Amino acid sequence: MKDVPAIKTLLSSPKKIVITTHANPDGDALGSSLGLFLFLKKHGHQVDVITPTSYPDFLTWMKGNQDVIVNKDSTFSGISKKMAGAEVIFCLDFSGLKRINNLGPLVAKSKAKKILIDHHLDPEDFADYSLWNTKSSATAELVFDFIEGLGGQKDIDKDIAECLYAGIMTDTGSFKHPSTSAKTHRVVAELMDAGANINKVNRTIYDTNSLNRLRFIGYALMEKLVVLDKVKAAYFVITAEEHERFHLKSGDTEGLVNYALSIKDIELAAIIMEREDEIKLSFRSVGDRAVNTFAAEHFEGGGHKNAAGGHSQDTLENTVEKFKRLIESQ
Ligand code: 5GP
Ligand code: MN
């Protein structure tokens, strides 16, 4: 938080601000972005939230969602102008510009002051200021610290509190992951005091399954779960055809990997998904078995020690073979 005084000075007069976050935004990406958005708007700044891709419906309840600019062919040129004209760009919940797809070059060449707020490992050196702490449970927790550091805690209203709470709740796996600290709970207590309805947030995020998604989970558990007992690993492979068949939408496969990790004695779980343009891999682990280095070394990815992801341009078959070979020789 050492850069907070300089950022406070920077924000002491109204600015044109862009907030962006990683592709396929999750609860923390969107919650931290919209929480910060609502706070900065209260302080008279002109703010846009720009996401590299769309995000799941279970996040659209957040206040400010209507104003989010989602990157697609039809919005890209407007986004380019906003990035070029911004005086300040906040980069939330990612540490490398590759994670924002084709927005990366726009951020890189913008003359705006860039501020990174993030908890992933190994940040790239592209920001002017950074509030970066890998021990933080969520970027939303860092946004809370940042607002507090600016002396703005009194401005955290119910809407901001619920966005930040959603970020912390989802990134900690509902306060189960080792990243959950006593301080995380203290921050949550403050958010509840500010009016966050935690029951509403929880139900809206976790208990709004479509029947398609539930049927898909049942099918995946029954037919697609592969367990490699000897190496304490379990994984799913989901094809493009299955995506179609179950009418899966963005976010519908989220959480599936945790079922594989919940099997007794399993230490590493993965889901390998065939997407239109590439193969996407998600990894989860327990204890000291690091998946971020595994993802970085073999699948052009990264993330946290116990939750990481990557991708591959190879065929689904070859990617699965490679994954199996690597896991079995670990
Ligand atoms: P998920 O499996 O939920 O997509 O991602 C888990 C974690 O891994 C996230 O914190 C995310 O930042 C990271 N991650 C996922 N995909 C990639 C990727 O392609 N590259 C990098 N560097 N990190 C990723
Ligand atoms: Mn996060």
Side-chain angles (χ1 to χ4, degrees):
M1 290 286 142
K2 68 174 176 17
D3 287 342
V4 171
I7 303 172
K8 190 169 182 174
T9 308
L10 178 69
L11 297 178
S12 61
S13 57
K15 290 284 180 304
K16 271 190 234 165
I17 298 176
V18 165
I19 299 172
T20 191
T21 188
H22 62 77
N24 304 311
D26 55 14
D28 190 32
L30 197 71
S32 60
S33 296
L34 285 176
L36 182 62
F37 165 81
L38 297 170
F39 173 79
L40 292 172
K41 291 242 305 186
K42 272 192 170 180
H43 285 251
H45 300 286
Q46 189 187 316
V47 198
D48 287 298
V49 175
I50 299 175
T51 61
T53 67
S54 63
Y55 45 84
D57 287 345
F58 63 77
L59 298 176
T60 54
W61 56 271
M62 288 182 200
K63 175 94 174 186
N65 168 66
Q66 303 294 342
D67 297 316
V68 174
I69 305 171
V70 177
N71 177 38
K72 40 191 154 170
D73 290 347
S74 60
T75 55
F76 187 75
S77 79
I79 289 174
S80 299
K81 287 198 190 94
K82 288 207 181 271
M83 289 283 193
E87 296 167 280
V88 179
I89 299 179
F90 280 92
C91 296
L92 264 53
D93 203 36
F94 65 94
S95 58
L97 290 177
K98 266 199 195 152
R99 299 274 291 132
I100 57 173
N101 301 355
N102 59 342
L103 304 186
L106 303 181
V107 171
K109 72 173 185 245
S110 166
K111 294 200 172 58
K113 288 281 181 209
K114 290 152 209 163
I115 304 172
L116 177 81
I117 306 185
D118 184 43
H119 65 143
H120 291 92
L121 297 172
D122 306 326
E124 252 174 41
D125 188 18
F126 67 87
D128 297 283
Y129 301 111
S130 68
L131 310 173
W132 174 69
N133 185 349
T134 54
K135 296 214 167 64
S136 200
S137 71
T139 297
E141 186 178 325
L142 286 169
V143 168
F144 178 91
D145 296 343
F146 174 54
I147 291 175
E148 198 178 39
L150 293 175
Q153 202 181 327
K154 62 185 181 319
D155 299 319
I156 298 183
D157 56 24
K158 180 180 189 338
D159 294 324
I160 297 175
E162 289 184 351
C163 289
L164 298 182
Y165 178 75
I168 297 172
M169 179 189 80
T170 52
D171 252 29
T172 56
S174 300
F175 311 98
K176 286 186 305 209
H177 296 161
S179 58
T180 312
S181 65
K183 191 208 143 215
T184 308
H185 285 288
R186 282 194 283 271
V187 168
V188 165
E190 300 277 354
L191 296 175
M192 290 176 76
D193 280 344
N197 180 341
I198 61 161
N199 182 251
K200 181 197 84 176
V201 174
N202 198 289
R203 280 196 55 80
T204 323
I205 291 184
Y206 293 122
D207 297 341
T208 48
N209 278 313
S210 65
L211 188 56
N212 275 333
R213 177 172 190 261
L214 274 193
R215 298 253 192 253
F216 166 72
I217 290 173
Y219 162 78
L221 290 173
M222 191 72 194
E223 312 269 341
K224 305 299 307 246
L225 179 58
V226 182
V227 180
L228 306 173
D229 280 322
K230 280 197 190 118
V231 287
K232 302 187 173 179
Y235 66 96
F236 299 94
V237 178
I238 307 297
T239 66
E241 185 277 321
E242 287 158 340
H243 257 94
E244 289 255 314
R245 188 168 10 131
F246 288 90
H247 308 286
L248 296 184
K249 291 201 287 187
S250 142
D252 279 353
T253 49
E254 207 153 292
L256 183 61
V257 67
N258 294 322
Y259 287 102
L261 195 65
S262 74
I263 303 168
K264 188 169 184 298
D265 294 329
I266 291 298
E267 293 175 353
L268 186 146
I271 173 164
I272 305 175
M273 277 172 299
E274 187 180 19
R275 291 248 176 97
E276 258 170 40
D277 46 350
E278 62 173 14
I279 310 295
K280 159 89 183 126
L281 300 100
S282 267
F283 305 111
R284 298 291 185 272
S285 66
V286 291
D288 284 338
R289 204 155 159 179
V291 280
N292 52 351
T293 45
F294 178 74
E297 277 165 29
H298 305 293
F299 296 103
E300 300 166 42
H304 311 277
K305 187 167 113 186
N306 298 127
H311 42 104
S312 150
Q313 307 297 327
D314 207 341
T315 61
L316 183 63
E317 216 177 23
N318 290 348
T319 307
V320 173
E321 269 315 303
K322 176 176 169 182
F323 167 76
K324 265 190 77 175
R325 185 168 35 77
L326 289 165
I327 289 298
E328 284 175 337
S329 64
Q330 254 188 351

